[in-house]
Amino acid sequence: MPDLYQQFTTSFVGRQLAPRLGLPQPPILERYRPGQRTVEGAVLVGAAPGGRLVPQLAKVLKDAEAEVWTAEGELREAAGEAGLSPKIFSVNGDGSSAAGDQRFKALVFDATGISDAESLKALHAFFHPVARKLRPSGRVIVLGTPPEDLDGAARVAQRALEGFVRSTGKEFGKGSTSNLVYVGQGAEDQIESTLRFFLSPKSAFVSGQVTRIGKGGAVPAVDWEHPLKGKVALVTGASRGIGEAIAETLARDGAHVVGLDIEPLADDLNRVMERIGGSSLTFDVTEDDAPQKLVAQLKAEHGGVDVVVHNAGITRDKRLANMKPETWDQVIAVNLIAPERITAELLKQDALHRGGRIVGVSSIAGIAGNNGQTNYATSKAGVIGFVDALEDEIAAAGATINAVAPGFIETQMTAAIPIGIREAGRRLSSLGQGGQPVDVAETIAWFASAGSGGVNGNVVRVCGQGLIGA
Amino acid sequence: MPETQTVRRVAIVGGNRIPFARSNGPYAQASNSDMLAAALDGLIDRFDLEGKKLGEVAAGAVLKHARDFNMVREVVLGSRLDKATPAVDLQQACGTGLQATIYIANKIALGQIDVGIAGGVDTTSDAPIAIGEKLRKKLMAVNRAKGNGDRVKALLQIRPGDISIEAPKNGEPRTGLSMGEHQAITAKEWGITREAQDELTVASHQHLAAAYDRGFFDDLITPFEGLERDQNLRPDSSLEKLAKLKPVFGGPDGTMTAGNSTPLSDGASTVLLASEEYAKANGLPVLAYFTDAQTEAVGYVKGEEGLLMAPAYAVPKLLDRHGLTFDDFDLFEIHEAFAAQVLSTLKAWEDPTFNKVKLGRDTPLGPIDRSKLNVNGGSLAAAHPFAATGGRIVASLAKALDEKGGGRGLISICAAGGIGVVAIVER
């Protein structure tokens, strides 16, 4: 839902006034509606010579029934091998094109073939002619090779992609997003869930992000309308706000959601769970025996769990000079220690199914820090450490662990922020607005998807490419 | 069907048409019936058909008044043919003329008739305009009412806002886009340039002008309403002149102009077809034989395929049935609805990806020899009165093959609704 300022700038009067006064005009972002195609509109695909992802990319786009365009030549023929018959986008010598006013919903570029700084100009060659041809809420996706897997000039060039993607995110506007996906060697078959996420309106508020995809074992057949069909998902703090949106989104994707919250919020929790056909659990996750009891109950009632979202979180803001030790302890206990202990207990009791997904909820505060939030920022930075620390162990168990780091999201919590700071939080981002709880939920659903076995150890910001913490 | 049924060769004896006129030009006062009658009259003269009873006359018009439901039979009744000659109205958008030819040819091939005429006519100057749907429904209610009281009550239901007219639209009912707008999308999708379209257009005008100059049309056309040549023909057409035109389809950056698209136009054409025995017995010439045909259609509503791309699918099917390749053809008649339509189709046939994915062919059908394409001009120069185009092409191609002393020709016509009609003519 647009905020008040957006309602004004998109009204008749606002549309006239805003440009004259030089006011920002945040676009209304497209969001996913069940049943719609992954990407509705033309997708222009390009590749630097020697790229290794085109066959897989073509296969995904064909399965997603996307309208694909490419230049003539090798790339188009490679797409033909995958059963695609792309439409032709050719650029004349003078930069014009027979495609005239054709616009694109997404621009996807396989940059894995870029092996040195000189060949980075393939980015310019592909994106320059279409820099003004991206439709509102458009998508830019650049695919590369993780620099750490490379040496020398190739490593330098692949690392350089980040600067390009972050800049197009700021430049293209109109609600478009721009993201970089590093695909490890041998992980080519793992890209589908990630590509679909970044192509679709599900990633409406995710921009300027770098994701790494590694080998994730055999990719199961995924029903993309219901990628969590038959899965059990535990969502802590599910009674309201972002947690409620997470529960709803995972349920939409087919999961049976087990919502957890503290006793005082049981009524809210029950209402949410009733609506989405989930089950309720009331626990205080900071109590000593809570993790053990919780996991035992999950095993008894659901035979274990597939997806665990450590969403429960609290703020107790105070400048450090005024902060009592209890205030510090409460925040660290809920936000960081509880996820650690629950996860450890899940592994100990072998309750996390193969193909399991652990998702932490960090925060932009954990990346950038925040005045009056030493305790909160410490806990949220700790969530990033939690992902890093468990990445290998969880992968060995055939599961994944990742985290989202929400930026300014429109919730009761952010509504309480004083207006000056609130407006700064909203507008100082590439998308010029706050995100919705569902934007965080969609990102978590992507991590949770049965197709995301190769997505491990990532921390993805859901911040509309906010300037804070960038 | 008796077991002894055989298929006979179908001879194309000849054709006659009136010159094609631009919309609201010299034929503005002529109805479809007038024009079809004029074309038929010339054919009767040319082949001495006066008083003869033919197997059947099949023709049609795309834009037709409701009162003309039996137009072709009425035209036959008004002609010098024997009044016992049956007739049928057919309609398949721009494929009408060729489809009428297929209809007559099939009946001859099966021995159901020995001789027949195929044709088509269209006017955009005398288009059928209907009253608005609201008014029509209320008038129908008046018509149904019993007694004067009810009739007045029903009449009083009519409001000023109900009074409107409905003109035929040159658009696809399911997409709301005109044919030109559809083709503009296809042109973009195939990367067809403005220059290539203009080049094809110039060639069309030059070829048609040359054909007139050497008298090619002398026995294919009868003048009508003072017009002796196709009014749209611009013998002095050039790339420079065409380059000055503004795009009319595909937005300001579009490549399709009034020059490289066919204009709305008026005209009629006819073709005389017969069995070989009939032609021999009646002393009629045989220009060529109508060998076979194929009609295909594509889904286009959701952008699955271009509206006018069905011929790209119909041709390979027809060629495969006869074990032929493009190298086996001496002439190609590809209807130039838009220069971009011809170029998109040609590009598709050459494109390995299209051939593999859409046609399931490992090797592309390949390019055609451009020097064999529309050698006596195409619709861009002659213009395109929808249903009259098929007859123009069949007669011209048959004559061109006869002139060469033999050979094989391919006809390809795209039509609204995602339809394509193609045929092989041989001598």
Side-chain angles (χ1 to χ4, degrees), chain A residues 368-400:
Chain A
N370 227 350
N371 192 345
Q373 289 198 319
T374 47
N375 51 358
Y376 184 76
T378 301
S379 73
K380 291 301 184 181
V383 170
I384 298 174
F386 164 70
V387 170
D388 292 345
L390 284 174
E391 185 183 338
D392 293 338
E393 185 186 349
I394 294 279
T400 69

Side-chain angles (χ1 to χ4, degrees), chain B residues 394-410:
Chain B
V394 171
S396 300
L397 175 59
K399 180 169 175 192
L401 289 170
D402 182 53
E403 270 189 341
K404 287 175 82 82
R408 188 182 284 119
L410 181 69

Side-chain angles (χ1 to χ4, degrees), chain A residues 72 76 83 87-88 99 101, chain B residues 188-189 192 250 347 351 353 357:
Chain A
E72 282 177 274
R76 192 157 172 281
K87 294 165 179 177
I88 296 172
D101 62 354
Chain B
K188 280 181 201 171
E189 293 175 353
I192 306 299
K347 197 158 181 183
D351 179 45
T353 307
V357 177

Side-chain angles (χ1 to χ4, degrees), chain A residues 114-352:
Chain A
I114 293 179
S115 54
D116 57 26
E118 179 73 16
S119 52
L120 283 165
K121 67 181 172 203
L123 290 169
H124 181 272
F126 176 74
F127 285 100
H128 167 73
V130 290
R132 293 205 179 92
K133 292 186 181 294
L134 196 59
R135 283 174 43 197
S137 292
R139 297 285 180 265
V140 171
I141 302 172
V142 175
L143 302 160
T145 301
E148 59 273 20
D149 295 354
L150 299 167
D151 296 310
R155 179 169 189 156
V156 173
Q158 288 297 317
R159 178 61 182 79
L161 299 175
E162 260 195 46
F164 180 82
V165 168
R166 290 199 207 273
S167 299
T168 50
K170 294 186 178 184
E171 210 173 286
F172 286 175
K174 290 184 291 184
S176 65
T177 66
S178 193
N179 290 287
L180 172 61
V181 179
Y182 283 131
V183 182
Q185 316 256 12
E188 293 81 11
D189 60 340
Q190 304 287 336
I191 65 173
E192 181 156 12
S193 76
T194 302
L195 260 184
R196 281 181 181 259
F197 174 69
F198 282 119
L199 281 170
S200 81
K202 291 179 177 178
S203 58
F205 203 60
V206 182
S207 190
Q209 298 305 297
V210 181
T211 305
R212 283 172 166 76
I213 301 180
K215 292 178 190 170
V219 183
V222 179
D223 165 4
W224 295 103
E225 272 288 293
H226 303 103
L228 295 176
K229 208 171 188 171
K231 306 283 184 185
V232 175
L234 171 70
V235 180
T236 69
S239 68
R240 57 188 185 182
I242 292 175
E244 180 180 356
I246 296 167
E248 281 174 344
T249 305
L250 298 184
R252 176 204 68 194
D253 282 356
H256 175 82
V257 175
V258 180
L260 181 147
D261 223 315
I262 48 173
E263 184 61 43
L265 294 174
D267 286 350
D268 286 347
L269 180 67
N270 288 335
R271 253 196 305 277
V272 175
M273 290 306 127
E274 207 167 292
R275 196 169 68 233
I276 64 171
S279 334
S280 300
L281 286 179
T282 43
F283 271 100
D284 178 350
V285 289
T286 60
E287 276 173 21
D288 278 350
D289 58 349
Q292 195 196 344
K293 280 176 54 201
L294 166 62
V295 174
Q297 196 166 343
L298 281 172
K299 278 188 89 170
E301 290 173 13
H302 304 284
V305 68
D306 301 282
V307 179
V308 177
V309 185
H310 294 295
N311 165 70
I314 58 169
T315 52
R316 296 288 183 270
D317 297 354
K318 277 273 186 262
R319 290 257 167 82
L320 187 59
N322 306 324
M323 192 183 290
K324 290 179 183 152
E326 308 87 87
T327 315
W328 174 275
D329 289 345
Q330 274 179 327
V331 169
I332 300 292
V334 175
N335 295 2
L336 185 54
I337 296 176
E340 285 187 285
R341 293 182 61 215
I342 293 171
T343 306
E345 193 65 32
L346 281 166
L347 297 176
K348 188 176 153 201
Q349 293 195 33
D350 201 18
L352 184 67

